[in-house]
């Protein structure tokens, strides 16, 4: 993976915080409450990335977050609820941030390239996020919602516009998604192996070729400087 | 997935047993020992498929196998040893059985089709095996050994012979492997979803197209009747 060319911009979460909350000077109680919520989310992400939702108890989450057991229920009614919040905030908001960038790009092939490379970059910076995504990744839900549905949308649009070869969009999405998760998995195990072999760029290139883009053009599009990194330091 | 056209043949394990041991009338002690070993392997497969090697203790394996704790060490020196035996016997022997079939096939495209379809069929019949493989699947070892290395061999041979388009065999293997594991994962969660959508056949077809085979021919090759099912009932 190439390094981003420009400085990372703030994520959508941080933007919202910066615009909506900080200037108004958040009351101390509200700030403390928000911090506790964030601690619980961080802890749940770490634990659920490692052991899945089933393999984690509320008690373990509050222990890991270093907050009282009871305060969990001030923020989330159940373990399922914090898990859903994670999906929404960690995956949904990342998807929204990507989508905001894709809206500025016209070429469907470049959209796919930017989306995949940002996803790999984000996984690189956030191991728990990557693990959580790998765990989520092959579920049927993931194919029909989350990042999979966004990829499906971009692949379909490229086929409709005639930019991509019209061929089995569902299998194309499954294959691109699965290969990206395999990349993440190798990255988690051995960052250097991935870097040396330049798997990320080759993965983008090969995905574009499978969608019908010529080899040279696919190579060039897979190396266009990324608009900006989407880094969410809030988690 | 299509059902196999002929009756399942016995696996290489069973063949060996049938030829080498049963006619000589195995002594009771040896038979009991072999059964205990098999119980331990079955138990380890079930547990390690679910929780990984790290997440399983020897005590849990002997409990699950319903044998005494100490008898574990009559068969395996360590947890790592039983894990390696599982890899070797469950994955290696399956790979050998596939290879025996592939040796009878000349066309590299048909080889890929038969190997992928047998793998999906086997996963269908053996959920623990499928889970174990998914868990193994994205490791770097899996890419350079096990079923991944066999796939890599077949992809390379097809490129060398000119049957496949010469393009980034490593990424092709990563992508075909990852997509097959995604298929397994969906199959484990919802067999009907996979059947209805016919993902298996489409996956084979799409893999062949990505390797450079024309759409019609890829479709036809993905539907050739399988030589025989490789079912290993010993585990």
């Amino acid at each position: 993976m190439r390094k981003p060319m420009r400085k990372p911009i703030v994520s959508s979460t941080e933007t919202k915080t910066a615009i909506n909350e900080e200037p108004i000077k958040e009351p101390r109680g509200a700030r403390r409450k928000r911090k506790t919520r964030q601690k619980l989310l961080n802890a749940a992400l770490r634990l659920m990335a490692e052991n899945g939702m089933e393999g984690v108890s509320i008690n373990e989450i509050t222990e890991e977050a270093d907050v009282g057991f009871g305060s969990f229920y001030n923020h989330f009614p159940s373990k399922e609820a914090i898990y859903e919040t994670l999906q929404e905030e960690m995956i949904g908001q990342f998807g929204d941030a990507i989508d905001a960038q894709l809206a500025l790009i016209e070429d469907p092939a470049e959209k796919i390239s930017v989306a995949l490379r940002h996803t790999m970059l984000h996984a690189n910076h956030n191991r728990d996020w990557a693990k959580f995504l790998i765990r989520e990744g092959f579920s049927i839900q993931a194919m029909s919602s989350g990042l999979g549905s966004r990829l499906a949308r971009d692949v379909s649009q490229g086929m409709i516009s005639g930019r991509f070869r019209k061929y089995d969009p569902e299998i194309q999405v499954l294959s691109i998604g699965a290969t990206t998760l395999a990349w993440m998995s190798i990255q988690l195990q051995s960052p250097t192996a991935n870097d040396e072999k330049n798997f990320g760029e080759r993965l983008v290139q090969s995905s574009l070729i499978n969608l019908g883009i010529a080899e040279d053009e696919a190579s060039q599009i897979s190396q266009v400087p990324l608009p900006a990194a989407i880094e969410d330091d809030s988690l």
Side-chain angles (χ1 to χ4, degrees), chain A:
Chain A
M1 284 297 298
R2 239 144 247 266
K3 289 269 177 292
M5 293 293 149
R6 297 180 225 160
K7 271 283 185 195
I9 55 162
V10 287
S11 76
S12 60
T13 335
E14 285 173 327
T15 313
K16 264 187 262 159
T17 311
I19 295 171
N20 300 335
E21 299 182 48
E22 283 182 359
I24 313 170
K25 194 86 179 124
E26 190 182 22
R28 193 193 293 170
R31 194 165 65 236
R32 204 181 50 219
K33 189 166 181 189
R34 184 167 55 78
K35 279 193 175 167
T36 304
R37 181 177 184 280
Q38 198 57 57
K39 275 191 197 171
L40 287 166
L41 281 170
N42 291 353
L45 178 69
R46 274 196 298 279
L47 294 170
M48 289 178 175
E50 210 63 63
N51 305 310
M53 192 198 73
E54 309 288 341
V56 176
S57 68
I58 291 178
N59 186 48
E60 284 171 317
I61 296 171
T62 52
E63 284 280 323
E64 173 86 9
D66 198 22
V67 305
F69 178 79
S71 76
F72 180 90
Y73 294 99
N74 295 333
H75 298 276
F76 305 99
S78 64
K79 191 171 76 168
E80 286 71 23
I82 197 170
Y83 175 76
E84 275 168 35
T85 306
L86 274 185
Q87 285 183 309
E88 215 171 279
E89 297 199 2
M90 299 299 292
I91 300 181
Q93 285 180 9
F94 172 78
D96 290 347
I98 295 267
D99 279 354
Q101 294 207 349
L102 297 191
L104 308 172
I105 300 170
E106 265 188 50
D107 178 18
E110 210 183 312
K111 282 186 195 227
I112 301 281
S113 165
V114 166
L116 290 181
R117 288 152 72 207
H118 267 316
T119 305
M120 291 189 282
L121 203 57
H122 194 71
N124 232 351
H125 287 276
N126 196 328
R127 293 173 65 88
D128 289 329
W129 187 81
K131 281 189 202 168
F132 190 81
L133 210 64
I134 291 169
R135 207 169 251 289
E136 284 293 281
F138 291 135
S139 66
I140 293 164
Q141 295 90 309
M143 277 196 63
S144 56
S145 68
L147 300 182
S149 70
R150 296 173 199 257
L151 179 61
R153 176 202 60 202
D154 295 336
V155 165
S156 294
Q157 280 176 1
M159 287 191 189
I160 290 165
S161 75
R163 174 69 162 142
F164 298 150
R165 189 168 58 94
K166 278 201 180 66
Y167 175 71
D168 209 336
E170 211 172 11
I171 286 285
Q172 299 277 22
V173 169
L174 180 68
S175 167
I176 296 173
T179 312
T180 308
L181 292 177
W183 177 92
M184 280 186 204
S185 194
I186 295 171
Q187 182 69 14
L188 283 170
Q189 289 169 76
S190 166
T192 53
N194 239 331
D195 288 348
E196 281 161 23
K197 298 203 160 194
N198 210 13
F199 277 140
E201 211 168 281
R202 286 160 62 194
L203 186 160
V204 174
Q205 201 179 331
S206 151
S207 301
L208 292 177
I209 291 172
N210 293 346
L211 290 166
I213 307 295
E215 212 167 305
D216 284 354
E217 201 188 351
S219 162
Q220 182 239 309
I221 293 171
S222 74
Q223 295 175 55
V224 168
L226 276 178
I230 297 168
E231 281 314 312
D232 187 347
D233 296 324
S234 68
L235 270 166

